[in-house]
Amino acid sequence: KPIKSDGKSAVTLTAFAIAVGAIVLRIGGRAALVSAVGLDFMTDNPDLQSQVNQILEYADTMDPLLKSGLFCLAWTMVKVFCFDAAGIVLALSSGILYGGVLEGAVMSAFGATVGSSAAFALAKTDTPIRKKALEIVQDNPSLRGIEKVVREDGLKAVLTLRLLSVRYFRYCVQFVCRWRRLG
């Protein structure tokens, strides 16, 4: 039986993970984090680096309102179609596109919120897509179980699912480090 303090523990653990991430970013800087995760491959590829520079130059010439609108539209597509890999790219590129970590984080959070809101609205609206999704949930026992847990104790379930990535982050870093040694 769930204990009432479980929700408080999940919130505390989430806040702790965010604080540790912020400290790592502040002390080691973004370059250290990017290098540790293995995303510094662009420095080894001048063609890729020039393509990225062209994209950034084009983004700098865009109207700020248009750039923000397209960024929010991209986040909406990522959230509606559950394309998480593109979400990672958008989150990592937001600081570069908007000239700083804080500005990029604000824009990324705004875009993700707009996209999630659109996905939520589409999920709640009576459309053929929603009916098909409900059929898939009814046909799959594990999805029915997840739906039941979220319906009965949604906050705790969502926080647990969000924290799952924190637990396995270490394994992802180890995988990337090993992969880079092999390559």
Side-chain angles (χ1 to χ4, degrees):
K1 185 175 178 175
I3 302 171
K4 188 170 184 151
S5 66
D6 287 350
K8 291 179 184 176
S9 299
V11 170
T12 304
L13 188 56
T14 302
F16 177 74
I18 290 170
V20 168
I23 290 169
V24 166
L25 278 174
R26 184 68 183 153
I27 293 172
R30 287 177 289 171
L33 180 65
V34 166
S35 179
V37 178
L39 297 174
D40 57 349
F41 59 89
M42 192 174 78
T43 57
D44 300 335
N45 189 342
D47 291 334
L48 181 62
Q49 196 170 14
S50 70
Q51 290 175 353
V52 169
N53 286 336
Q54 287 176 353
I55 292 170
L56 290 175
E57 288 170 7
Y58 180 71
D60 286 341
T61 63
M62 290 178 77
D63 178 48
L65 215 52
L66 177 64
K67 181 166 63 168
S68 299
L70 289 174
F71 192 73
C72 286
L73 179 66
W75 265 112
T76 302
M77 293 297 119
V78 164
K79 292 296 186 175
V80 167
F81 295 112
C82 299
F83 188 46
D84 292 333
I88 293 169
V89 170
L90 285 172
L92 289 174
S93 67
S94 63
I96 298 168
L97 285 173
Y98 290 99
V101 175
L102 182 62
E103 297 89 346
V106 168
M107 283 307 299
S108 198
F110 179 74
T113 302
V114 169
S116 296
S117 299
F120 180 80
L122 287 172
K124 290 296 184 179
T125 307
D126 192 26
T127 62
I129 296 171
R130 181 177 194 274
K131 291 175 184 173
K132 182 65 178 169
L134 289 175
E135 287 176 18
I136 292 171
V137 167
Q138 293 305 319
D139 293 342
N140 191 329
S142 58
L143 290 178
R144 275 197 316 265
I146 292 171
E147 191 268 334
K148 179 182 176 193
V149 168
V150 170
R151 184 176 0 102
E152 292 174 1
D153 201 3
L155 178 64
K156 197 182 314 178
V158 169
L159 285 177
T160 302
L161 288 173
R162 295 301 292 172
L163 287 174
L164 188 64
S165 61
V166 172
R167 180 177 175 198
Y168 293 107
F169 181 73
R170 177 181 61 158
Y171 301 116
C172 295
V173 170
Q174 289 174 350
F175 172 76
V176 169
C177 290
R178 288 186 184 134
W179 175 72
R180 288 190 45 89
R181 276 189 232 135
L182 293 176

